[in-house]
Amino acid sequence: MIEVAVIPAAGKGTRLRPATRVVPKALVPVVDRPAIQYGVEEAARAGATEVIVIVDPGVGELVVRHFTEEGPLPGLEHVEVIPVVQEEARGLGDAVLTAREAVDGRPFLCLLADNIPRPGGDVLDRMAAAFDGLSLVCLRTLTDEFLSRYGVIVPGGEPDGPVVPVAGAVEKPGVEAAPSRLGLIGRYLFTPEVFDVLEDLPPGVGGEVQLTDAIDLLGRSGRCAGYVADTDLLDIGNPLGLVEATTVLAAADPRFGERYRAFLAEEWCP
Ligand code: G1P
């Protein structure tokens, strides 16, 4: 069982302006709860009891208050949410590195807060079940347009069921340079050795310390495998994605999904 999860949730949320001028991206509501709650719930479903949330200065207290102020949220009674502040935005790899002390030498789940699984579409729990001592990164076969928006791995051999050896990785290579179509979709299970790799990494693409570069080095030394997912994630980091995610989640909601689907059919798709 992997007991700890890290959710990098710092970042200015510029693609969600003006919603994020004052409200942190992690607290933007999706259906009836803030974005960060989906991440914590997903981590809890995968077995985590400690969730470290990487936040911008000033945001940690708000996040903790959300999870504690009126008592624990249903289903999260046994989960502790721990904020860790990233003082300066130096990239995703640097954000993960700030969690080092709190992770305290344990393997950990890592999930990007901008992405939410479809209802019933969890993969982190299956990755936790498949963990055998090597870091494991979630992959999905990408179409051309995504090869410049996602990290892409170098496959290191034949797949064994959903698990494929990883020999390296490239951040946002684009169609021409992509070593495969298998993209990193924001769900990871790392052994603590990733911190040693991140610590020594020079800035990569965009001048940022890239998590993908750490995966590249782990892969090159035979210390990383991929888990190919059969579903995509909803992207709430931009206005259209937020609306689409809201629609998918609301339409599947047992409390009002049926009424919402009828509303959509009547109003928009007659
Ligand atoms: C980040 C990672 C990238 C990954 C993507 C998944 O990019 O750097 O490797 O494929 O998340 O969403 P970002 O979306 O922050 O640009």
Side-chain angles (χ1 to χ4, degrees):
M1 183 70 92
I2 312 286
E3 61 202 21
V4 58
V6 172
I7 308 183
K12 303 271 167 270
T14 35
R15 286 176 300 161
L16 285 181
R17 288 285 193 274
T20 50
R21 283 171 68 128
V22 174
V23 175
K25 187 170 70 162
L27 296 179
V28 168
V30 184
V31 186
D32 65 349
R33 62 202 67 188
I36 190 66
Q37 190 177 329
Y38 287 93
V40 174
E41 289 171 344
E42 183 188 350
R45 288 195 298 273
T49 52
E50 274 172 61
V51 181
I52 299 158
V53 183
I54 315 293
V55 290
D56 291 313
V59 176
E61 194 214 346
L62 282 174
V63 168
V64 169
R65 273 174 61 193
H66 171 72
F67 287 97
T68 54
E69 190 141 285
E70 295 172 9
L73 287 152
L76 298 179
E77 293 85 354
H78 306 295
V79 177
E80 186 188 3
V81 175
I82 304 154
V84 170
V85 174
Q86 185 187 22
E87 294 291 345
E88 249 180 274
R90 277 188 295 237
L92 181 59
D94 184 59
V96 172
L97 184 57
T98 61
R100 182 178 209 162
E101 205 180 310
V103 167
D104 195 19
R106 296 169 289 179
F108 63 100
L109 304 166
C110 179
L111 49 157
L112 304 190
D114 271 2
N115 302 104
I116 298 179
R118 289 172 183 274
D122 276 15
V123 65
L124 207 56
D125 52 356
R126 283 182 275 155
M127 290 169 65
F131 178 61
D132 70 352
L134 282 192
S135 290
L136 199 55
V137 296
C138 187
L139 302 170
R140 186 163 166 77
T141 304
L142 303 180
T143 53
D144 281 3
E145 60 170 318
F146 287 98
L147 295 171
S148 52
R149 284 161 55 182
Y150 284 65
V152 175
I153 64 121
V154 183
E158 290 305 308
D160 176 10
V163 179
V164 49
V166 171
V170 187
E171 178 69 356
K172 302 181 178 150
V175 182
E176 302 293 310
S180 75
R181 286 196 171 274
L182 290 173
L184 298 159
I185 61 167
R187 293 294 179 276
Y188 315 87
L189 194 175
F190 289 115
T191 63
E193 66 191 333
V194 74
F195 294 125
D196 299 330
V197 177
L198 283 169
E199 193 175 44
D200 296 333
L201 267 186
V205 174
E208 298 191 336
V209 177
Q210 296 291 349
L211 189 59
T212 301
D213 291 345
I215 294 164
D216 182 48
L217 290 178
L218 288 173
R220 284 168 190 268
S221 56
R223 301 292 303 151
C224 187
Y227 189 98
V228 183
D230 52 10
T231 173
D232 62 350
L233 298 167
L234 303 164
D235 181 1
I236 57 161
N238 64 85
L240 176 60
L242 180 61
V243 173
E244 288 173 350
T246 304
T247 299
V248 170
L249 294 166
D253 195 297
R255 296 165 298 175
F256 48 70
E258 205 176 320
R259 274 169 51 206
Y260 182 57
R261 289 195 301 274
F263 163 81
L264 288 177
E266 280 162 28
E267 295 277 334
W268 304 109
C269 317

